[in-house]
Amino acid sequence: MNATRIVRHAAMELRMLLRNGEQLLLAFAIPLGLLIGGLAWGQGFGLDLAVFPASVVAVATWSTAFTSLAVATGFERRYGVLERLVATPLTRADLIAGKALAATALVAVQAALLSAVALVWGWRPAWTPAGAASAAVAIGLAIAAFAGLGLLLAGTLKAEVTLALANLVYLAGLALGGLIADQPPWLPTAALGSALRAASAGAGAPLALLVLAAWAVTLTLIARKAFRWTS
Amino acid sequence: MTPRYALELDGVSVWFGGRRVLDGLSWTARVGELTALLGPNGAGKTTALRCVTGLLQPESGRVRVMGGSPGDANERIGLMPQSVGAWSAVRPGELLRYLAGLYPDPMPVGDLVDALGLAPLLNRPYRRLSGGEQQAVNLAGALVGRPELVLLDEPTAGMDPHARRRTWQVISGLRGRGVSVLLTTHDMDEAARLADRVWIMDAGRVTVSGTVAELTAEASLEDVFLRHTGGAA
């Protein structure tokens, strides 16, 4: 693997992603709208505002590492971008690492922006070293798991099917996946939500991290096996 | 030691969904020559190129690229794919700079832009380019890494006559500099004009090959093509 090429590719991925209106909606508009709406009116609906911003960071991670990645990669495959790139010195591992780096950088920006808005709004998380470390590990593992699922869709289905299915799964994860409301952490979305909410209360979440690690390994291995570079 | 062949395919077979797409395909492309690979739609030309770039692993047979395995010499290869090959929102200037940054000794992007007449297109999103303009950008992308071997999959499809002539000049210039070129095309005039050696394939295997002079000794290249492919009357 070549670090310079990985960084170049990550920068290109980010430029393409941020130039796309739908991706901007997913990356910033929806999470920010959800955060502000929840902080303003969520208490009336029973939301625990002490941990709600952490849930929105989980939503942002889900949207970037799964939906955006799946849709973008599906169309890269359909348009022959992947076919062209694997014939350059950018290896397949470099390409995937570049995608992972771009997703991680974007999630970091989203988390920082959402946290800043929530802090200005009056959110006061109980930060502890254990909680912060648990949150960072959870986000890293979730990115790997969600990206594995996204690449699995993008690498096996037509781009239009990937687009439709990724948005459908995104909404299902948002509504039922435990990103916002607590659920037993067996799904990766629920595990991420639980881990981040626990972190914002100053606690670690070892079970959620274990579940995320299992999903990350499983989904990336399946994606690696099933992914096809051409459509 | 410089290998004699830039490309060697020996008995290559590839199956898709129970259908044999390449059927013991064997051909070579000599170093420094322009080799044309001709065949009707579905003959397996693009599949053969995907074996060369390492995108597909043949079920049997051997592929050698610049004397090594596919994928081992990507710094020395430039590919112009048949399909789009670029992000829809990318601007040609940034695409070429990005691709140049992947290679150890790239060509100056400005030189390519001048040679292919791309200057007016540099800041236009790729999706707003015509098919021929996209092809010209793709050709520049294949050349920007200063390759020793260039794979061109139907490089002039969709180009107007001016752009096609300019592209032919660029391809001829490559051969003049000792670059090995593999060209797939449906344009028999293009193949006859540019190629040193022609391989005609049908249903996944080579049906006839030779230099342009040998193949056209008694008939036009198009007649030879028709006689040796499934479209023959």
Side-chain angles (χ1 to χ4, degrees):
Chain A
M1 290 173 78
N2 180 297
T4 307
R5 288 178 191 139
I6 291 170
V7 171
R8 276 184 192 279
H9 186 67
M12 185 57 132
E13 289 266 343
L14 275 176
R15 276 202 297 277
M16 293 304 105
L17 198 138
L18 296 176
R19 212 171 278 171
N20 181 304
E22 189 204 352
Q23 307 285 19
L24 282 177
L25 191 75
L26 275 169
F28 294 107
I30 291 176
L32 271 174
L34 189 65
L35 178 71
I36 292 169
L39 289 175
W41 300 291
Q43 211 154 21
F45 296 95
L47 280 181
D48 180 356
L49 297 192
V51 295
F52 178 67
S55 299
V56 181
V57 172
V59 170
T61 308
W62 173 235
S63 66
T64 295
F66 169 66
T67 316
S68 293
L69 185 72
V71 172
T73 308
F75 281 95
E76 285 175 350
R77 181 167 162 256
R78 184 241 182 93
Y79 290 141
V81 178
L82 300 181
E83 180 167 0
R84 174 199 281 275
L85 293 182
V86 298
T88 69
L90 187 79
T91 64
R92 295 175 206 207
D94 290 342
L95 197 152
I96 297 295
K99 283 183 176 293
L101 182 60
T104 305
L106 187 55
V107 168
V109 170
Q110 289 172 300
L113 181 66
L114 292 166
S115 299
V117 170
L119 286 169
V120 168
W121 203 282
W123 181 48
R124 293 294 176 266
W127 287 108
T128 63
S134 175
V137 172
I139 289 177
L141 290 171
I143 288 173
F146 297 161
L149 182 60
L151 292 175
L152 181 61
L153 294 190
T156 53
L157 302 172
K158 286 184 177 178
E160 292 80 2
V161 179
T162 298
L163 175 67
L165 200 57
N167 281 303
L168 199 66
V169 173
Y170 169 72
L171 291 174
L174 194 59
L176 308 167
L179 286 165
I180 294 173
D182 269 330
Q183 281 183 19
W186 306 126
L187 291 174
T189 44
L192 177 64
S194 298
L196 294 190
R197 282 188 288 276
S200 72
L207 175 62
L209 294 187
L210 208 61
V211 170
L212 279 171
W215 277 109
V217 170
T218 305
L219 288 169
T220 50
L221 284 178
I222 294 173
R224 186 177 170 182
K225 179 88 179 160
F227 193 88
R228 295 198 308 268
W229 294 81
T230 59
S231 56
Chain B
M1 192 180 83
T2 306
R4 183 179 177 199
Y5 296 112
L7 293 170
E8 295 175 79
L9 278 77
D10 183 13
V12 170
S13 291
V14 171
W15 293 74
F16 286 149
R19 188 172 72 91
R20 197 198 300 246
V21 181
L22 297 185
D23 183 9
L25 181 66
S26 298
W27 51 259
T28 55
R30 292 185 189 189
V31 168
E33 287 193 353
L34 197 151
T35 304
L37 188 61
L38 310 181
N41 291 329
K45 304 184 295 297
T46 298
T47 302
L49 280 189
R50 287 175 175 168
C51 291
V52 166
T53 59
L55 204 58
L56 286 177
Q57 295 283 337
E59 274 80 12
S60 62
R62 194 180 71 137
V63 180
R64 303 285 288 169
V65 181
M66 307 295 284
S69 299
D72 286 352
N74 282 2
E75 291 184 353
R76 301 159 67 193
I77 290 174
L79 167 70
M80 178 180 174
Q82 185 182 0
S83 58
V84 182
W87 294 272
S88 65
V90 78
R91 298 185 179 96
E94 76 182 331
L95 175 66
L96 294 176
R97 285 191 297 276
Y98 160 74
L99 290 171
L102 300 178
Y103 290 89
D105 180 27
M107 284 180 72
V109 169
D111 291 359
L112 271 175
V113 167
D114 292 342
L116 289 162
L118 299 177
L121 314 177
L122 286 184
N123 292 313
R124 209 182 295 168
Y126 187 86
R127 66 174 174 274
R128 300 231 172 102
L129 304 178
S130 70
E133 289 169 341
Q134 290 182 350
Q135 289 291 79
V137 173
N138 286 343
L139 178 59
L143 304 182
V144 75
R146 216 185 285 273
E148 295 167 47
L149 167 64
V150 183
L151 312 172
L152 305 173
D153 200 357
E154 300 186 21
T156 57
M159 284 186 179
D160 67 43
H162 293 293
R164 188 162 64 237
R165 290 294 171 112
R166 199 159 45 224
T167 301
W168 286 352
Q169 281 177 1
V170 170
I171 295 172
S172 296
L174 288 172
R175 185 178 48 182
R177 292 199 299 276
V179 175
S180 311
V181 180
L182 178 73
L183 167 77
T184 79
T185 182
H186 289 298
D187 184 338
M188 298 299 129
D189 183 36
E190 180 170 282
R193 182 184 290 256
L194 296 175
D196 297 300
R197 186 168 297 271
V198 173
W199 299 81
I200 295 178
M201 58 183 290
D202 190 30
R205 58 189 312 146
V206 170
T207 51
V208 67
S209 68
T211 63
V212 171
E214 288 165 356
L215 292 176
T216 58
E218 294 179 4
S220 71
L221 191 57
E222 184 159 310
D223 287 336
V224 174
F225 178 89
L226 291 171
R227 197 179 305 148
H228 290 89
T229 60

